[in-house]
Amino acid sequence: MTTTLPARTTARMAALVREIRTVVDRGLAPDLTAYLVGELLAPHLGRPDLLTTAQQEGDPDRYRQHVLHAEPDGGFSVVALVWLPGQETCIHDHVAWCVAGVHQGEESERRFRLVPGAGGVARLVPTEDVVNGPGEVCGFAPPGDIHLVRNSCGTKAISIHVYGADISRLGTSIRRVYALPAG
């Protein structure tokens, strides 16, 4: 993943950040916060005035993360992930609650659960395959957030992610990478 730090923001993104702040500042449970933030994010997806041209640029080698906002108190961050065809994440989970909405293109997600395996070695079991198109939103909170995400369309895909952590400080939302047998 390539990361760019916060730059100029659009008026629409600034308004979305204010809306998210009102939910996060309520101090609700992580899963409820993710649900409510997802409801706020959805109407902004696909709007041409959400991102600047620079915030829509990809990287030919790996998906690119543009940090759009990091709350000064670390309460949440907003990032744009830009995926060129075929780019994907590793299998991972997250440091905090997360909401992801597809702004452009299409993303496929394979969800997993961790189960005990033979000889005490854990293994990953796929539980669900989801394809999200423009305007679709999903949210989750750890535990139970193990997944792999990839661009499943033939063109660039862009998704907006809101994390309950300061991604500009952490550099990533990934808590743990899984290199366990799947099956």
Short mmCIF file of all heavy atoms in Angstrom, two decimals, residues 54-110:
data_model
loop_
_atom_site.label_atom_id
_atom_site.label_comp_id
_atom_site.label_asym_id
_atom_site.label_seq_id
_atom_site.Cartn_x
_atom_site.Cartn_y
_atom_site.Cartn_z
N ALA A 54 -6.31 14.74 -7.33
CA ALA A 54 -5.14 14.09 -6.74
C ALA A 54 -5.53 12.94 -5.81
O ALA A 54 -4.82 11.94 -5.71
CB ALA A 54 -4.28 15.11 -6.00
N GLN A 55 -6.66 13.08 -5.12
CA GLN A 55 -7.11 12.05 -4.18
C GLN A 55 -7.70 10.83 -4.88
O GLN A 55 -8.05 9.85 -4.22
CB GLN A 55 -8.14 12.65 -3.21
CG GLN A 55 -7.54 13.68 -2.29
CD GLN A 55 -8.57 14.55 -1.60
OE1 GLN A 55 -9.74 14.59 -1.98
NE2 GLN A 55 -8.13 15.27 -0.59
N GLN A 56 -7.77 10.87 -6.21
CA GLN A 56 -8.28 9.75 -6.99
C GLN A 56 -7.18 9.03 -7.76
O GLN A 56 -7.46 8.14 -8.56
CB GLN A 56 -9.35 10.25 -7.97
CG GLN A 56 -10.54 10.87 -7.25
CD GLN A 56 -11.54 11.45 -8.23
OE1 GLN A 56 -12.08 10.73 -9.07
NE2 GLN A 56 -11.79 12.74 -8.12
N GLU A 57 -5.93 9.40 -7.48
CA GLU A 57 -4.81 8.80 -8.19
C GLU A 57 -4.41 7.47 -7.57
O GLU A 57 -4.32 7.34 -6.35
CB GLU A 57 -3.60 9.74 -8.18
CG GLU A 57 -3.82 10.99 -9.00
CD GLU A 57 -2.65 11.96 -8.92
OE1 GLU A 57 -1.64 11.65 -8.26
OE2 GLU A 57 -2.77 13.02 -9.53
N GLY A 58 -4.17 6.49 -8.42
CA GLY A 58 -3.73 5.17 -7.97
C GLY A 58 -2.23 5.03 -8.07
O GLY A 58 -1.50 5.98 -8.37
N ASP A 59 -1.75 3.83 -7.81
CA ASP A 59 -0.34 3.48 -7.89
C ASP A 59 -0.27 2.19 -8.70
O ASP A 59 -1.00 1.24 -8.40
CB ASP A 59 0.22 3.27 -6.47
CG ASP A 59 1.69 2.91 -6.45
OD1 ASP A 59 2.11 2.00 -7.20
OD2 ASP A 59 2.43 3.51 -5.67
N PRO A 60 0.57 2.11 -9.71
CA PRO A 60 0.59 0.90 -10.55
C PRO A 60 1.05 -0.36 -9.82
O PRO A 60 0.76 -1.47 -10.26
CB PRO A 60 1.56 1.26 -11.68
CG PRO A 60 2.37 2.39 -11.17
CD PRO A 60 1.51 3.12 -10.18
N ASP A 61 1.73 -0.21 -8.68
CA ASP A 61 2.29 -1.37 -7.98
C ASP A 61 1.41 -1.92 -6.87
O ASP A 61 1.51 -3.09 -6.52
CB ASP A 61 3.66 -1.02 -7.40
CG ASP A 61 4.65 -0.67 -8.49
OD1 ASP A 61 4.61 -1.31 -9.56
OD2 ASP A 61 5.46 0.25 -8.28
N ARG A 62 0.58 -1.08 -6.25
CA ARG A 62 -0.24 -1.53 -5.10
C ARG A 62 -1.36 -0.52 -4.89
O ARG A 62 -1.29 0.60 -5.38
CB ARG A 62 0.61 -1.65 -3.84
CG ARG A 62 1.26 -0.33 -3.40
CD ARG A 62 2.33 -0.48 -2.35
NE ARG A 62 3.47 -1.25 -2.76
CZ ARG A 62 4.49 -0.79 -3.47
NH1 ARG A 62 4.53 0.47 -3.83
NH2 ARG A 62 5.49 -1.57 -3.81
N TYR A 63 -2.39 -0.94 -4.15
CA TYR A 63 -3.47 0.00 -3.89
C TYR A 63 -2.91 1.18 -3.09
O TYR A 63 -1.92 1.07 -2.40
CB TYR A 63 -4.65 -0.67 -3.19
CG TYR A 63 -4.45 -1.09 -1.76
CD1 TYR A 63 -4.85 -0.26 -0.71
CD2 TYR A 63 -3.89 -2.32 -1.43
CE1 TYR A 63 -4.67 -0.65 0.61
CE2 TYR A 63 -3.73 -2.72 -0.13
CZ TYR A 63 -4.11 -1.87 0.89
OH TYR A 63 -3.95 -2.25 2.19
N ARG A 64 -3.55 2.32 -3.26
CA ARG A 64 -3.04 3.56 -2.66
C ARG A 64 -4.02 4.11 -1.65
O ARG A 64 -5.22 4.18 -1.91
CB ARG A 64 -2.79 4.58 -3.76
CG ARG A 64 -2.13 5.84 -3.27
CD ARG A 64 -1.71 6.68 -4.45
NE ARG A 64 -0.92 7.80 -4.00
CZ ARG A 64 -0.46 8.73 -4.81
NH1 ARG A 64 -0.70 8.67 -6.10
NH2 ARG A 64 0.23 9.74 -4.33
N GLN A 65 -3.49 4.53 -0.51
CA GLN A 65 -4.28 5.11 0.56
C GLN A 65 -4.01 6.62 0.63
O GLN A 65 -2.88 7.04 0.84
CB GLN A 65 -3.89 4.46 1.89
CG GLN A 65 -4.53 5.11 3.11
CD GLN A 65 -4.12 4.41 4.38
OE1 GLN A 65 -4.83 3.55 4.84
NE2 GLN A 65 -2.97 4.77 4.94
N HIS A 66 -5.06 7.41 0.44
CA HIS A 66 -4.97 8.87 0.60
C HIS A 66 -5.65 9.21 1.93
O HIS A 66 -6.86 9.01 2.08
CB HIS A 66 -5.71 9.61 -0.52
CG HIS A 66 -5.15 9.38 -1.88
ND1 HIS A 66 -4.12 10.14 -2.39
CD2 HIS A 66 -5.48 8.48 -2.85
CE1 HIS A 66 -3.84 9.73 -3.62
NE2 HIS A 66 -4.65 8.72 -3.91
N VAL A 67 -4.89 9.69 2.90
CA VAL A 67 -5.48 10.12 4.17
C VAL A 67 -6.14 11.47 3.93
O VAL A 67 -5.47 12.44 3.58
CB VAL A 67 -4.42 10.21 5.29
CG1 VAL A 67 -5.07 10.69 6.58
CG2 VAL A 67 -3.75 8.86 5.51
N LEU A 68 -7.46 11.51 4.09
CA LEU A 68 -8.23 12.73 3.82
C LEU A 68 -8.45 13.56 5.08
O LEU A 68 -8.55 14.78 5.00
CB LEU A 68 -9.59 12.35 3.21
CG LEU A 68 -9.52 11.45 1.98
CD1 LEU A 68 -10.91 11.04 1.56
CD2 LEU A 68 -8.76 12.12 0.85
N HIS A 69 -8.55 12.88 6.21
CA HIS A 69 -8.75 13.58 7.49
C HIS A 69 -8.34 12.67 8.63
O HIS A 69 -8.61 11.47 8.61
CB HIS A 69 -10.23 13.97 7.68
CG HIS A 69 -10.49 14.59 9.01
ND1 HIS A 69 -10.22 15.91 9.27
CD2 HIS A 69 -10.96 14.07 10.17
CE1 HIS A 69 -10.53 16.18 10.53
NE2 HIS A 69 -10.97 15.08 11.10
N ALA A 70 -7.69 13.26 9.62
CA ALA A 70 -7.41 12.57 10.87
C ALA A 70 -7.83 13.51 11.99
O ALA A 70 -7.34 14.64 12.08
CB ALA A 70 -5.93 12.22 10.99
N GLU A 71 -8.76 13.06 12.80
CA GLU A 71 -9.27 13.88 13.90
C GLU A 71 -8.12 14.15 14.88
O GLU A 71 -7.38 13.23 15.24
CB GLU A 71 -10.43 13.14 14.58
CG GLU A 71 -11.26 13.98 15.49
CD GLU A 71 -12.12 15.01 14.77
OE1 GLU A 71 -11.99 15.22 13.54
OE2 GLU A 71 -12.94 15.63 15.45
N PRO A 72 -7.96 15.40 15.33
CA PRO A 72 -6.84 15.73 16.21
C PRO A 72 -6.76 14.88 17.48
O PRO A 72 -5.66 14.58 17.95
CB PRO A 72 -7.07 17.21 16.56
CG PRO A 72 -7.85 17.73 15.39
CD PRO A 72 -8.72 16.59 14.94
N ASP A 73 -7.90 14.45 18.01
CA ASP A 73 -7.87 13.63 19.23
C ASP A 73 -7.73 12.14 18.93
O ASP A 73 -7.78 11.31 19.84
CB ASP A 73 -9.11 13.89 20.08
CG ASP A 73 -10.41 13.37 19.47
OD1 ASP A 73 -10.38 12.79 18.35
OD2 ASP A 73 -11.46 13.54 20.12
N GLY A 74 -7.56 11.77 17.66
CA GLY A 74 -7.39 10.38 17.28
C GLY A 74 -8.67 9.59 17.19
O GLY A 74 -8.65 8.38 16.99
N GLY A 75 -9.82 10.25 17.32
CA GLY A 75 -11.11 9.56 17.35
C GLY A 75 -11.52 8.88 16.07
O GLY A 75 -12.22 7.87 16.10
N PHE A 76 -11.10 9.40 14.93
CA PHE A 76 -11.41 8.76 13.65
C PHE A 76 -10.55 9.34 12.54
O PHE A 76 -9.96 10.42 12.69
CB PHE A 76 -12.90 8.88 13.28
CG PHE A 76 -13.36 10.27 12.93
CD1 PHE A 76 -13.37 10.71 11.61
CD2 PHE A 76 -13.80 11.14 13.91
CE1 PHE A 76 -13.81 11.99 11.28
CE2 PHE A 76 -14.24 12.42 13.59
CZ PHE A 76 -14.25 12.84 12.27
N SER A 77 -10.49 8.61 11.44
CA SER A 77 -9.79 9.04 10.23
C SER A 77 -10.66 8.71 9.04
O SER A 77 -11.45 7.76 9.08
CB SER A 77 -8.47 8.31 10.07
OG SER A 77 -7.61 8.54 11.14
N VAL A 78 -10.47 9.47 7.97
CA VAL A 78 -11.15 9.21 6.71
C VAL A 78 -10.07 9.05 5.65
O VAL A 78 -9.18 9.91 5.54
CB VAL A 78 -12.12 10.35 6.33
CG1 VAL A 78 -12.85 10.03 5.03
CG2 VAL A 78 -13.10 10.66 7.46
N VAL A 79 -10.14 7.97 4.89
CA VAL A 79 -9.17 7.74 3.83
C VAL A 79 -9.89 7.34 2.55
O VAL A 79 -11.00 6.81 2.59
CB VAL A 79 -8.12 6.65 4.20
CG1 VAL A 79 -7.40 7.01 5.48
CG2 VAL A 79 -8.74 5.29 4.30
N ALA A 80 -9.25 7.63 1.44
CA ALA A 80 -9.70 7.12 0.15
C ALA A 80 -8.71 6.04 -0.26
O ALA A 80 -7.50 6.26 -0.23
CB ALA A 80 -9.74 8.22 -0.91
N LEU A 81 -9.21 4.86 -0.58
CA LEU A 81 -8.36 3.80 -1.12
C LEU A 81 -8.63 3.71 -2.61
O LEU A 81 -9.78 3.61 -3.04
CB LEU A 81 -8.66 2.46 -0.45
CG LEU A 81 -8.35 2.37 1.04
CD1 LEU A 81 -8.60 0.96 1.56
CD2 LEU A 81 -6.92 2.78 1.35
N VAL A 82 -7.55 3.78 -3.39
CA VAL A 82 -7.65 3.73 -4.84
C VAL A 82 -7.00 2.43 -5.30
O VAL A 82 -5.84 2.16 -4.99
CB VAL A 82 -6.96 4.95 -5.49
CG1 VAL A 82 -7.08 4.88 -7.01
CG2 VAL A 82 -7.54 6.25 -4.94
N TRP A 83 -7.79 1.65 -6.01
CA TRP A 83 -7.39 0.30 -6.43
C TRP A 83 -7.39 0.23 -7.94
O TRP A 83 -8.41 0.48 -8.57
CB TRP A 83 -8.39 -0.73 -5.94
CG TRP A 83 -8.89 -0.59 -4.55
CD1 TRP A 83 -9.77 0.31 -4.06
CD2 TRP A 83 -8.54 -1.43 -3.45
NE1 TRP A 83 -10.00 0.09 -2.73
CE2 TRP A 83 -9.25 -0.98 -2.33
CE3 TRP A 83 -7.69 -2.54 -3.31
CZ2 TRP A 83 -9.14 -1.59 -1.08
CZ3 TRP A 83 -7.59 -3.13 -2.07
CH2 TRP A 83 -8.31 -2.66 -0.98
N LEU A 84 -6.29 -0.16 -8.53
CA LEU A 84 -6.27 -0.44 -9.96
C LEU A 84 -6.72 -1.90 -10.14
O LEU A 84 -6.74 -2.67 -9.19
CB LEU A 84 -4.88 -0.18 -10.53
CG LEU A 84 -4.41 1.28 -10.38
CD1 LEU A 84 -3.03 1.47 -11.00
CD2 LEU A 84 -5.41 2.27 -10.96
N PRO A 85 -7.11 -2.29 -11.36
CA PRO A 85 -7.63 -3.64 -11.56
C PRO A 85 -6.71 -4.72 -10.99
O PRO A 85 -5.49 -4.70 -11.20
CB PRO A 85 -7.74 -3.75 -13.08
CG PRO A 85 -8.00 -2.33 -13.51
CD PRO A 85 -7.15 -1.49 -12.59
N GLY A 86 -7.31 -5.65 -10.24
CA GLY A 86 -6.59 -6.78 -9.68
C GLY A 86 -5.86 -6.52 -8.36
O GLY A 86 -5.41 -7.47 -7.72
N GLN A 87 -5.72 -5.28 -7.94
CA GLN A 87 -5.02 -5.01 -6.69
C GLN A 87 -5.85 -5.47 -5.51
O GLN A 87 -7.08 -5.40 -5.54
CB GLN A 87 -4.67 -3.52 -6.57
CG GLN A 87 -3.64 -3.09 -7.59
CD GLN A 87 -3.30 -1.61 -7.52
OE1 GLN A 87 -4.06 -0.78 -7.04
NE2 GLN A 87 -2.12 -1.27 -8.02
N GLU A 88 -5.17 -5.96 -4.46
CA GLU A 88 -5.87 -6.48 -3.30
C GLU A 88 -5.05 -6.32 -2.03
O GLU A 88 -3.84 -6.08 -2.09
CB GLU A 88 -6.23 -7.95 -3.51
CG GLU A 88 -5.05 -8.89 -3.57
CD GLU A 88 -5.47 -10.34 -3.83
OE1 GLU A 88 -6.57 -10.59 -4.33
OE2 GLU A 88 -4.65 -11.22 -3.52
N THR A 89 -5.72 -6.50 -0.91
CA THR A 89 -5.07 -6.49 0.38
C THR A 89 -4.61 -7.91 0.71
O THR A 89 -4.99 -8.87 0.05
CB THR A 89 -6.03 -6.05 1.51
OG1 THR A 89 -7.04 -7.05 1.68
CG2 THR A 89 -6.66 -4.70 1.21
N CYS A 90 -3.85 -8.03 1.76
CA CYS A 90 -3.58 -9.33 2.37
C CYS A 90 -4.81 -9.68 3.22
O CYS A 90 -5.70 -8.84 3.41
CB CYS A 90 -2.34 -9.23 3.25
SG CYS A 90 -2.44 -7.89 4.46
N ILE A 91 -4.87 -10.88 3.76
CA ILE A 91 -5.92 -11.22 4.71
C ILE A 91 -5.55 -10.55 6.03
O ILE A 91 -4.43 -10.72 6.52
CB ILE A 91 -6.06 -12.74 4.88
CG1 ILE A 91 -6.42 -13.39 3.54
CG2 ILE A 91 -7.13 -13.06 5.94
CD1 ILE A 91 -6.39 -14.91 3.57
N HIS A 92 -6.47 -9.77 6.58
CA HIS A 92 -6.14 -8.95 7.75
C HIS A 92 -7.38 -8.67 8.60
O HIS A 92 -8.50 -8.91 8.19
CB HIS A 92 -5.53 -7.62 7.30
CG HIS A 92 -6.49 -6.75 6.53
ND1 HIS A 92 -6.80 -6.96 5.20
CD2 HIS A 92 -7.24 -5.70 6.92
CE1 HIS A 92 -7.69 -6.07 4.80
NE2 HIS A 92 -7.99 -5.28 5.82
N ASP A 93 -7.13 -8.10 9.78
CA ASP A 93 -8.19 -7.51 10.59
C ASP A 93 -7.76 -6.09 10.95
O ASP A 93 -6.73 -5.61 10.46
CB ASP A 93 -8.54 -8.38 11.82
CG ASP A 93 -7.40 -8.56 12.79
OD1 ASP A 93 -6.35 -7.90 12.66
OD2 ASP A 93 -7.55 -9.39 13.71
N HIS A 94 -8.56 -5.42 11.77
CA HIS A 94 -8.35 -3.98 11.98
C HIS A 94 -8.12 -3.59 13.44
O HIS A 94 -8.52 -4.31 14.35
CB HIS A 94 -9.57 -3.21 11.45
CG HIS A 94 -9.68 -3.30 9.97
ND1 HIS A 94 -9.06 -2.42 9.13
CD2 HIS A 94 -10.32 -4.18 9.17
CE1 HIS A 94 -9.31 -2.75 7.88
NE2 HIS A 94 -10.07 -3.83 7.88
N VAL A 95 -7.53 -2.41 13.60
CA VAL A 95 -7.25 -1.87 14.93
C VAL A 95 -8.49 -1.28 15.59
O VAL A 95 -8.50 -1.08 16.80
CB VAL A 95 -6.14 -0.80 14.89
CG1 VAL A 95 -4.82 -1.39 14.39
CG2 VAL A 95 -6.54 0.41 14.04
N ALA A 96 -9.51 -0.98 14.81
CA ALA A 96 -10.71 -0.30 15.33
C ALA A 96 -11.89 -0.56 14.40
O ALA A 96 -11.73 -1.19 13.35
CB ALA A 96 -10.45 1.21 15.43
N TRP A 97 -13.06 -0.02 14.77
CA TRP A 97 -14.23 -0.13 13.90
C TRP A 97 -13.91 0.51 12.55
O TRP A 97 -13.03 1.37 12.45
CB TRP A 97 -15.46 0.50 14.54
CG TRP A 97 -15.34 1.96 14.88
CD1 TRP A 97 -14.97 2.49 16.08
CD2 TRP A 97 -15.59 3.07 14.01
NE1 TRP A 97 -14.97 3.87 16.01
CE2 TRP A 97 -15.35 4.25 14.75
CE3 TRP A 97 -15.99 3.19 12.68
CZ2 TRP A 97 -15.49 5.53 14.22
CZ3 TRP A 97 -16.14 4.46 12.14
CH2 TRP A 97 -15.89 5.60 12.91
N CYS A 98 -14.63 0.07 11.53
CA CYS A 98 -14.37 0.56 10.18
C CYS A 98 -15.68 0.60 9.39
O CYS A 98 -16.54 -0.25 9.57
CB CYS A 98 -13.39 -0.37 9.48
SG CYS A 98 -13.12 0.04 7.74
N VAL A 99 -15.77 1.58 8.53
CA VAL A 99 -16.86 1.68 7.56
C VAL A 99 -16.21 1.88 6.20
O VAL A 99 -15.29 2.68 6.06
CB VAL A 99 -17.79 2.87 7.89
CG1 VAL A 99 -18.81 3.08 6.78
CG2 VAL A 99 -18.45 2.69 9.23
N ALA A 100 -16.67 1.15 5.21
CA ALA A 100 -16.15 1.30 3.85
C ALA A 100 -17.31 1.45 2.89
O ALA A 100 -18.28 0.71 2.96
CB ALA A 100 -15.31 0.07 3.47
N GLY A 101 -17.18 2.42 2.00
CA GLY A 101 -18.20 2.64 0.99
C GLY A 101 -17.55 2.79 -0.38
O GLY A 101 -16.52 3.45 -0.51
N VAL A 102 -18.15 2.18 -1.37
CA VAL A 102 -17.60 2.24 -2.73
C VAL A 102 -18.04 3.54 -3.39
O VAL A 102 -19.23 3.81 -3.54
CB VAL A 102 -18.02 1.01 -3.56
CG1 VAL A 102 -17.49 1.13 -4.99
CG2 VAL A 102 -17.52 -0.27 -2.91
N HIS A 103 -17.06 4.33 -3.77
CA HIS A 103 -17.28 5.61 -4.44
C HIS A 103 -17.34 5.42 -5.95
O HIS A 103 -18.13 6.05 -6.64
CB HIS A 103 -16.14 6.57 -4.05
CG HIS A 103 -16.22 7.91 -4.65
ND1 HIS A 103 -17.25 8.79 -4.40
CD2 HIS A 103 -15.39 8.56 -5.51
CE1 HIS A 103 -17.05 9.92 -5.06
NE2 HIS A 103 -15.93 9.80 -5.75
N GLN A 104 -16.50 4.51 -6.46
CA GLN A 104 -16.41 4.26 -7.90
C GLN A 104 -15.93 2.83 -8.11
O GLN A 104 -15.09 2.34 -7.36
CB GLN A 104 -15.39 5.24 -8.50
CG GLN A 104 -15.02 5.02 -9.92
CD GLN A 104 -13.88 5.96 -10.35
OE1 GLN A 104 -13.88 7.13 -10.02
NE2 GLN A 104 -12.93 5.43 -11.08
N GLY A 105 -16.46 2.17 -9.11
CA GLY A 105 -16.00 0.83 -9.45
C GLY A 105 -16.69 -0.24 -8.62
O GLY A 105 -17.85 -0.10 -8.24
N GLU A 106 -15.94 -1.30 -8.33
CA GLU A 106 -16.50 -2.45 -7.63
C GLU A 106 -15.40 -3.12 -6.82
O GLU A 106 -14.27 -3.24 -7.29
CB GLU A 106 -17.06 -3.42 -8.66
CG GLU A 106 -17.76 -4.62 -8.10
CD GLU A 106 -18.34 -5.47 -9.21
OE1 GLU A 106 -19.47 -5.18 -9.65
OE2 GLU A 106 -17.64 -6.41 -9.65
N GLU A 107 -15.74 -3.53 -5.61
CA GLU A 107 -14.79 -4.24 -4.76
C GLU A 107 -15.39 -5.55 -4.29
O GLU A 107 -16.57 -5.62 -3.98
CB GLU A 107 -14.43 -3.39 -3.54
CG GLU A 107 -13.64 -2.17 -3.86
CD GLU A 107 -13.35 -1.31 -2.66
OE1 GLU A 107 -13.78 -1.63 -1.54
OE2 GLU A 107 -12.67 -0.30 -2.86
N SER A 108 -14.55 -6.57 -4.27
CA SER A 108 -14.96 -7.87 -3.74
C SER A 108 -14.29 -8.05 -2.38
O SER A 108 -13.14 -7.66 -2.19
CB SER A 108 -14.52 -8.99 -4.67
OG SER A 108 -15.21 -8.93 -5.88
N GLU A 109 -15.03 -8.66 -1.50
CA GLU A 109 -14.52 -8.91 -0.16
C GLU A 109 -14.77 -10.37 0.18
O GLU A 109 -15.87 -10.89 -0.02
CB GLU A 109 -15.24 -8.01 0.84
CG GLU A 109 -14.86 -8.23 2.27
CD GLU A 109 -15.70 -7.43 3.24
OE1 GLU A 109 -16.80 -6.96 2.86
OE2 GLU A 109 -15.27 -7.28 4.39
N ARG A 110 -13.75 -11.03 0.67
CA ARG A 110 -13.90 -12.39 1.20
C ARG A 110 -13.69 -12.29 2.71
O ARG A 110 -12.66 -11.82 3.17
CB ARG A 110 -12.91 -13.36 0.59
CG ARG A 110 -12.98 -14.73 1.27
CD ARG A 110 -12.35 -15.80 0.47
NE ARG A 110 -13.38 -16.28 -0.46
CZ ARG A 110 -13.21 -17.32 -1.25
NH1 ARG A 110 -12.08 -17.98 -1.25
NH2 ARG A 110 -14.17 -17.70 -2.05
#
